């Protein structure tokens, strides 16, 4: 199997994404809806800048909920962008390009864009209409855009099916999706996408629902198609291993933002962002002698409706420093983790001492724990927890712990939300980059 | 195509298949009666004289008049046969109309959503809340001026009460199907809303319509008879109608004349039973959650430890 194909990427950008935001309104409870109260928004894509070059394969990599699929859908105008722009540079005659702002297109204009931008979906079992034959499904795009109809349709559908390896085409045309295997269905989905001869193909985890044996074949098919048809791919995946095989450039996404973007080799050889490092460590290594320690990021991806202050990765980051944006919710997690290790009696005692943790749920930079009378004991408790694990990065973010009349006040350092900045061959959004490090990481004495 | 249509039938087993087959046989018998009524029935439905001689009044069943005659000098056997034609025509028309109106409305309502959906759901729920017979009576009153007391008017007043059922089922399936990936994929290839509804959703949301259709047809037979019984249905000079005959037979029954009521009554019972069985049978075969797949029994070779090996070799 080849690992890298001849890169035909030119410097010319094909799709420009500028400050793109896709926010979804939350519906909230019934009372809130009735009263028209603010129900909050989920920032699925939150300020993304990417320019897709003609002929390249760009990988969008991230965990579930990182916004990679929404970004892909927004590129086709399937998800409405709330801010920013997506500009598609359509190739016209004589080397001219025409700019089309996808994020502003509507109705017929948006539909006509589909001849140039197409999508392959994650689940081939759901992406085909169960009550439509393969011939009708693959030929429908041609019919919709008035490119071919009637007699003309059949040979073109057959050609597309054979192009994706469903040969002889006659054998598949009259079948329904339920009659095909997963890999065959995904081939049919790809045939439907390429029959319009598009420029850009957004592939949303095209192999994640397939058997291991079929995955490599489908990826190889996509590589071949790229070479033959001159396609540009946006490859959305959570699997860095397949991205390494397939992509020229990789953008690592976390909670709606790109945290690191750069050439594939660079990302794999010298990952900068702690999240990228964590993802790379998560790739299974078949050779047991080469096993790397898997200190995977702790916890889960946070709630996108209430992202952490500062850098949104800081609560899970093993390298976090004082400036990462520590806040009250991190303290709650710390206390609760501490209690999971305690006996019931000492937990109850400490819990009564600190009081309800619910007031830590609103992100704050200054919090007060306990009551005035017990402030010394609360402080003692915090010191004890700190002693247990002094290397816990949260403590680096604590500016001051003081006893006030109302309890113990914990004040955190001011945090920064890092922008994407060039560092080496890549761009990375982390306070630690570019080096030299301006801030000394916290070192326990 | 035929193979696909028959597939659910072939997959059924036991009781479900028997229900379906019995229902189909009964229903087909009535369809034959309806289609060949002019040849099967000895007399016309409103014929009172044969060769200028009036039929006997309230004659008991005999060789001449198999089901006897009524107080209006009609031949009951002929009335029952012609009644099958009336019933099936009215029911077919009403089911057809309610499908033609209810399904597209449900599809649009579920797909478009928003205020269109709210208004349509409100109207349909209001219709659904009325007792069906009352609604049918009201509409047959309203339609009588415009269309007279014929078959079309009766069919339309039945249509109104069945539209909400198709609307509800289709709308709810559409709401859930609208979010599916293949609809998103249809958008991604540039399909218009109308084409998404027609080519992608329609085929997937009408799967339970045949079941509702047959069950509604059974219900409609009863409602039509009730309308006729109460005198709001098809007028006696327009067509023969079992409900009307039952109404006329009320007085006879008290004086021991049983044949004028029994035969139209049996016809109603049998047709409703037949249609209901078809509906239930279809439901069992079409609805995968109820369906028991037919599994062919595995024939094991006889287990004779001493000779099995030798036999296996020689075979």
């Amino acid at each position: 199997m080849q690992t890298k194909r001849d890169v035909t990427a030119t410097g010319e950008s094909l799709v420009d994404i500028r400050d793109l935001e896709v926010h979804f309104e939350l519906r909230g409870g019934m009372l809130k809806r009735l009263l028209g109260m603010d129900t909050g928004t989920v920032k699925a894509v939150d300020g993304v800048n990417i320019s897709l070059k003609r002929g390249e394969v760009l990988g969008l990599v991230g965990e579930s909920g990182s916004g990679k699929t929404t970004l892909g859908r927004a590129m086709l105008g399937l998800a409405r962008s709330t801010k920013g722009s997506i500009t598609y540079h359509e190739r016209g005659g004589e080397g001219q390009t025409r700019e089309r702002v996808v994020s502003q297109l509507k109705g017929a204009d948006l539909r006509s864009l589909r001849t140039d931008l197409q999508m392959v979906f994650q689940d081939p079992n759901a992406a085909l209409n169960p009550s439509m034959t393969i011939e009708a499904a693959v030929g429908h795009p041609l019919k919709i855009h008035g490119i071919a109809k009637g007699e003309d349709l059949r040979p073109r559908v057959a050609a597309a099916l054979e192009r994706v390896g469903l040969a002889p085409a006659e054998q598949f045309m009259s079948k329904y999706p339920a009659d095909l295997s997963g890999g065959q269905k995904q081939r049919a989905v790809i045939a439907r996408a390429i029959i319009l001869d598009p420029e850009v193909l957004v592939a949303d985890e095209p192999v994640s629902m397939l058997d291991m044996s079929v995955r490599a074949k489908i990826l190889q098919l996509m590589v071949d198609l790229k070479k033959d048809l001159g396609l540009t791919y946006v490859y959305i995946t959570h699997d860095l291993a397949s991205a390494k095989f397939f992509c020229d450039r990789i953008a690592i996404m976390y909670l709606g933002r790109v945290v690191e973007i750069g050439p594939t080799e660079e990302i794999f050889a010298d990952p900068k962002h702690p999240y990228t490092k964590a993802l790379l460590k998560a790739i299974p290594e078949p050779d047991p002698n080469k096993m790397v320690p898997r200190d995977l990021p702790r916890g889960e991806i946070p709630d996108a409706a209430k992202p952490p202050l500062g850098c949104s990765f800081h609560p899970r980051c093993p390298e976090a420093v004082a400036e990462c944006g520590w806040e009250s919710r991190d303290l709650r997690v710390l206390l609760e983790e501490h209690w999971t290790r305690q006996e019931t009696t000492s937990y109850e005692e400490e819990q009564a001492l600190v009081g309800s943790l619910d007031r830590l749920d609103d992100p704050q930079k200054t919090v007060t724990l306990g009551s005035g009378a017990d402030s010394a004991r609360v402080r003692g408790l915090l010191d004890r927890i700190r002693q247990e694990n002094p290397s816990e990065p949260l403590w680096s973010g604590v500016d001051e712990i003081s006893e006030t009349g109302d309890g113990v006040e914990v004040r955190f350092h001011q945090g920064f939300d890092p922008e994407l900045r060039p560092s080496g061959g890549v761009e990375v959004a982390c306070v630690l980059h570019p080096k030299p490090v301006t801030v000394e990481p916290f070192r326990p004495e | 195509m035929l193979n696909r249509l028959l597939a659910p039938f072939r997959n059924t087993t036991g009781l479900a298949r028997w229900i379906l087959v019995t229902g189909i046989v009964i229903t087909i018998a009535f369809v034959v009666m309806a289609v060949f009524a002019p040849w099967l029935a000895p007399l016309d439905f409103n014929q009172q004289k044969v060769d200028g001689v009036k039929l006997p009044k309230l004659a008991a069943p005999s060789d001449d008049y198999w089901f006897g005659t009524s107080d209006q000098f009609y031949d009951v056997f002929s009335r029952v046969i012609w009644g099958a034609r009336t019933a099936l025509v009215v029911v077919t028309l009403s089911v057809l109309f309610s499908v033609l109106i209810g399904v597209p409305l449900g599809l649009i309502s579920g797909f478009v959503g928003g205020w269109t959906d709210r208004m349509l759901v409100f109207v349909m729920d209001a219709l659904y809340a009325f007792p069906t017979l009352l609604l049918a009576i009201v509409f047959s009153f309203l339609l009588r001026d415009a269309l007279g007391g014929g078959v079309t008017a009766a069919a339309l007043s039945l249509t109104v009460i069945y539209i909400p059922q198709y609307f509800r089922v289709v709308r709810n399936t559409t709401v859930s199907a609208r979010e599916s990936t293949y609809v998103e994929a249809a958008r991604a290839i540039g399909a218009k809303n109308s084409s998404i509804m027609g080519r992608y959703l329609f085929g997937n949301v009408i799967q339970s319509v045949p079941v509702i259709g047959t069950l509604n047809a059974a219900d409609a037979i009863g409602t039509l008879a009730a309308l006729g019984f109460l005198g709001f249905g098809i007028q006696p000079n327009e067509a023969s109608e079992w409900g009307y005959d039952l109404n006329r037979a009320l007085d006879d029954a008290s004086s021991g004349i049983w044949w004028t009521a029994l035969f139209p009554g049996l016809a109603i019972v049998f047709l409703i039973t037949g249609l209901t069985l078809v509906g239930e049978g279809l439901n069992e075969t079409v609805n995968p959650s109820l369906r028991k797949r037919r599994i062919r029994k595995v024939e094991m070779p006889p287990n004779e430890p001493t000779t099995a090996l030798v036999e296996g070799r020689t075979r």
Side-chain angles (χ1 to χ4, degrees):
Chain A
M1 192 190 291
Q2 67 186 113
T3 52
K4 206 86 204 103
R5 103 224 109 252
D6 51 321
V7 178
T8 51
T10 57
E12 184 192 352
S13 71
L14 187 57
V15 179
D16 274 320
I17 301 172
R18 288 279 153 266
D19 303 319
L20 186 75
E21 286 182 7
V22 182
H23 293 184
F24 295 112
E25 294 281 327
L26 282 175
R27 291 182 65 196
M30 197 170 86
L31 192 69
K32 281 191 168 179
R33 259 182 287 158
L34 275 176
L35 300 176
M37 284 157 75
D38 182 27
T39 48
T41 50
V42 170
K43 296 168 180 167
V45 176
D46 192 23
V48 166
N49 288 289
I50 293 178
S51 96
L52 181 67
K53 307 273 186 289
R54 199 181 287 279
E56 78 168 342
V57 180
L58 174 71
L60 295 180
V61 183
E63 280 171 292
S64 312
S66 59
K68 53 193 194 307
T69 298
T70 308
L71 179 58
R73 293 177 66 231
M75 288 178 74
L76 271 83
L78 289 171
R80 283 255 144 251
S81 55
T82 37
K83 216 175 142 192
S85 69
I86 304 169
T87 314
Y88 166 57
H89 303 278
E90 187 180 16
R91 186 178 272 169
E94 295 143 25
Q96 298 288 310
T97 56
R98 185 159 72 102
E99 288 194 0
R100 300 179 74 181
V101 185
V102 179
S103 42
Q104 288 168 9
L105 292 180
K106 271 186 186 140
D109 291 335
L110 186 58
R111 286 199 301 276
S112 73
L113 184 81
R114 310 281 197 242
T115 54
D116 292 328
L117 295 164
Q118 268 298 326
M119 187 151 182
V120 174
F121 292 87
Q122 178 175 15
D123 186 358
N125 304 307
L128 290 166
N129 181 355
S131 63
M132 221 174 189
T133 61
I134 297 298
E135 181 184 3
V138 174
H140 204 211
L142 292 175
K143 244 176 164 172
I144 289 170
H145 296 283
I147 296 169
K149 55 182 165 189
E151 292 286 294
D152 237 16
L153 214 54
R154 208 176 152 83
R156 296 189 67 158
V157 171
L161 286 177
E162 277 173 14
R163 187 69 211 66
V164 298
L166 290 177
E170 281 71 29
Q171 207 182 316
F172 295 96
M173 282 165 98
S174 60
K175 293 229 165 100
Y176 285 84
D179 305 329
L180 302 186
S181 73
Q184 287 171 333
K185 273 183 254 192
Q186 194 62 297
R187 283 176 195 269
V189 171
I190 294 174
R192 179 175 62 183
I194 61 160
I195 202 165
L196 288 168
D197 195 16
E199 287 232 48
V200 183
L201 205 58
V202 177
D204 182 7
E205 309 207 23
V207 295
S208 70
M209 303 288 277
L210 302 175
D211 286 350
M212 273 300 172
S213 55
V214 184
R215 285 188 187 186
K217 288 188 197 161
I218 296 285
L219 280 182
Q220 188 59 48
L221 169 68
M222 290 179 64
V223 171
D224 294 345
L225 288 176
K226 176 185 185 298
K227 224 184 290 169
D228 296 353
L229 306 174
L231 291 168
T232 303
Y233 281 126
V234 175
Y235 179 66
I236 300 168
T237 185
H238 58 254
D239 173 21
L240 264 174
S242 69
K244 184 182 187 179
F245 160 72
F246 196 51
C247 299
D248 301 317
R249 268 199 313 155
I250 289 180
I252 309 282
M253 289 192 71
Y254 188 77
L255 225 62
R257 300 222 179 147
V258 174
V259 295
E260 183 164 358
I261 180 168
T264 307
E265 297 83 1
E266 199 101 14
I267 298 257
F268 275 82
D270 180 20
K272 302 264 187 329
H273 198 280
Y275 182 60
T276 315
K277 290 179 193 168
L279 284 180
L280 284 176
K281 279 180 190 157
I283 300 176
E285 174 60 61
D287 183 356
N289 297 322
K290 286 195 206 160
M291 288 278 263
V292 286
R294 301 219 184 283
D295 46 346
L296 301 176
R298 50 192 176 162
E300 295 290 321
I301 195 161
D303 183 0
K306 282 184 181 172
L309 302 181
C311 167
S312 46
F313 187 60
H314 82 259
R316 307 172 69 190
C317 182
E319 299 175 34
V321 295
E323 277 70 29
C324 286
W326 296 98
E327 37 130 333
S328 53
R329 284 173 294 173
D330 302 320
L331 188 61
R332 174 175 190 157
V333 173
L334 182 83
L335 283 169
E336 283 172 342
E337 267 179 9
H338 166 72
W339 284 334
T340 57
R341 294 188 293 268
Q342 298 299 306
E343 298 288 331
T344 318
T345 45
S346 57
Y347 155 68
E348 275 165 0
E349 195 183 309
E350 291 178 13
Q351 215 271 335
L353 197 63
V354 175
S356 166
L357 292 183
D358 289 344
R359 55 186 154 161
L360 299 183
D361 276 349
D362 287 326
Q364 293 152 8
K365 289 308 242 182
T366 310
V367 288
T368 310
L369 290 174
S371 57
D374 295 326
S375 56
R377 292 173 63 203
V378 175
R379 171 130 206 192
L381 171 65
L382 287 178
D383 285 342
R384 233 177 20 253
I385 297 174
R386 189 170 183 163
Q387 281 306 313
E388 277 175 25
N389 182 14
S391 60
E392 162 64 45
L394 176 126
W395 297 116
S396 68
V398 176
D399 190 19
E400 195 183 7
I401 301 179
S402 54
E403 289 171 46
T404 63
D406 302 327
V408 174
E409 191 186 79
V410 181
R411 208 169 55 210
F412 294 97
H413 280 294
Q414 206 53 45
F416 293 106
D417 190 1
E419 305 255 302
L420 265 183
R421 289 176 296 211
S423 167
V426 302
E427 284 180 80
V428 59
C430 180
V431 292
L432 300 175
H433 297 278
K435 282 169 181 170
V437 182
T438 47
V439 188
E440 272 301 309
F442 172 75
R443 297 259 180 274
E445 51 270 26
Chain B
M1 190 64 202
L2 189 74
N3 217 11
R4 252 184 117 70
L5 275 179
L6 285 178
F9 176 73
R10 278 191 281 111
N11 282 332
T12 53
T13 169
L15 189 64
R17 177 178 273 193
W18 273 109
I19 288 178
L20 189 61
V21 169
T22 318
I24 286 176
V25 167
I26 297 176
T27 311
I28 284 180
F30 276 94
V31 171
V32 168
M33 273 161 67
V35 172
F36 298 104
W39 295 278
L40 287 175
L43 302 174
D44 216 354
F45 68 89
N46 54 0
Q47 195 174 353
Q48 293 168 318
K49 294 173 184 170
V50 178
D51 303 330
V53 182
K54 251 197 169 167
L55 267 60
K57 185 178 179 179
L58 291 171
S62 63
D63 283 350
D64 291 339
Y65 310 106
W66 291 354
F67 289 179
T69 59
S70 73
D71 62 337
Q72 290 172 300
F73 309 99
Y74 293 143
D75 174 32
V76 175
F77 181 62
S78 304
R79 295 278 300 176
V80 168
I81 301 255
W82 283 102
R85 172 175 271 199
T86 316
L88 285 176
V89 166
V90 170
V91 164
T92 312
L93 280 180
S94 73
V95 169
L96 202 69
F97 286 152
S98 30
V99 168
L100 284 180
I101 299 170
V103 170
L105 276 184
L107 199 58
I108 292 168
S109 182
F111 184 75
V112 176
W115 275 103
T116 324
D117 186 40
R118 274 187 212 182
M119 289 312 294
L120 279 168
V121 167
F122 179 76
V123 171
M124 291 294 168
D125 279 356
L127 277 179
Y128 203 69
F130 273 99
T132 49
L133 188 57
L134 183 67
L135 202 62
I137 290 172
V138 168
F139 272 90
S140 70
F141 259 130
L142 292 175
L143 292 170
R144 184 166 291 179
D145 292 336
L147 296 169
V151 169
T152 328
L156 282 179
S157 40
L158 291 180
T159 299
V160 177
I161 63 181
Y162 295 117
I163 288 176
Q165 297 192 14
Y166 298 95
F167 173 82
R168 277 188 166 192
V169 169
V170 170
R171 180 207 167 253
N172 291 348
T173 3
T174 307
V175 166
S176 61
R178 168 177 78 172
E179 304 297 332
S180 57
T181 312
Y182 63 84
V183 172
E184 169 119 358
R187 277 189 217 285
I189 59 171
K192 280 185 215 158
N193 281 347
S194 56
S195 136
I196 291 175
M197 280 192 269
R199 296 291 308 274
Y200 289 84
L201 287 172
F202 181 74
N204 293 301
V205 299
I206 55 156
Q207 275 163 6
S208 43
V209 165
V211 175
I212 310 171
T214 35
L215 292 177
N216 272 351
D219 196 52
I221 300 284
T223 313
L224 176 69
L227 275 182
F229 186 81
L230 294 173
F232 300 112
I234 296 163
Q235 295 310 298
N237 54 338
E238 297 262 0
S240 163
E241 207 275 308
W242 297 329
Y244 172 80
D245 288 355
L246 280 182
N247 183 20
R248 298 291 308 184
L250 259 189
D251 298 335
D252 308 339
S254 52
S255 51
I257 297 163
W258 49 270
W259 54 88
T260 49
L262 180 71
F263 295 108
L266 277 182
I268 293 173
V269 169
F270 274 122
L271 185 49
I272 290 181
T273 311
L275 286 170
T276 310
L277 289 179
V278 173
E280 291 299 337
L282 274 183
N283 197 18
E284 296 241 342
T285 53
V286 172
N287 195 342
S289 58
L290 291 175
R291 185 197 303 164
K292 241 191 202 163
R293 287 219 173 248
R294 192 166 56 130
I295 296 170
R296 202 166 282 151
K297 270 202 184 124
V298 181
E299 292 263 330
M300 298 294 276
N303 190 12
E304 292 164 34
T306 46
T307 55
L309 237 169
V310 184
E311 269 186 4
R313 243 177 231 157
T314 51
R315 226 172 256 159

